[in-house]
Amino acid sequence: MQALHRLEGEVSCVRGLWFDGEWVTTEGVIHVPRKTVISISNESPLILKVALTGDVSLFFHTEVSQYESINVTYPDGSLEVI
C-alpha cells in the first residue's frame, strides 16, 4: 500500500504515528508482514482503517480531502485505487 501523507499503526491497542512525510519510526512495521486483511473501513472522512490479523491496524490519513486516493497493489501485481 502507498500513501503520501500520514500513516498511523496500532499494535495490540497501542496507536502511534509511523509516517508523516518521512518515517517517524519503523518500530511497528515488523508486525505487519504476513498479516491478512480482515476489514477495511472509514474511521472518518479523512482516515481509512485497514484492520489486520494479530490485533494490528493501519490508519491512512489523506490530510487534504476525502477525495485523496490510496494505491493498493496486490501480490499478483494488480492495482486498486481507493
Side-chain angles (χ1 to χ4, degrees):
M1 292 192 172
Q2 175 185 15
L4 299 177
H5 296 289
R6 189 171 179 212
L7 169 67
E8 287 182 306
E10 184 176 274
V11 178
S12 300
C13 300
V14 177
R15 190 165 166 171
L17 179 62
W18 292 0
F19 181 86
D20 193 2
E22 60 185 42
W23 285 103
V24 175
T25 178
T26 57
E27 181 179 321
V29 175
I30 193 169
H31 299 284
V32 176
R34 300 182 186 240
K35 302 294 184 197
T36 301
V37 174
I38 55 175
S39 69
I40 298 174
S41 60
N42 287 330
E43 185 176 66
S44 76
L46 302 178
I47 301 173
L48 179 72
K49 177 182 179 182
V50 178
L52 307 171
T53 54
D55 201 20
V56 176
S57 295
L58 302 174
F59 300 87
F60 293 90
H61 295 247
T62 62
E63 299 296 323
V64 177
S65 77
Q66 60 187 330
Y67 304 109
E68 196 71 25
S69 65
I70 295 173
N71 299 334
V72 180
T73 305
Y74 293 96
D76 66 2
S78 62
L79 174 68
E80 182 174 349
V81 179
I82 300 173

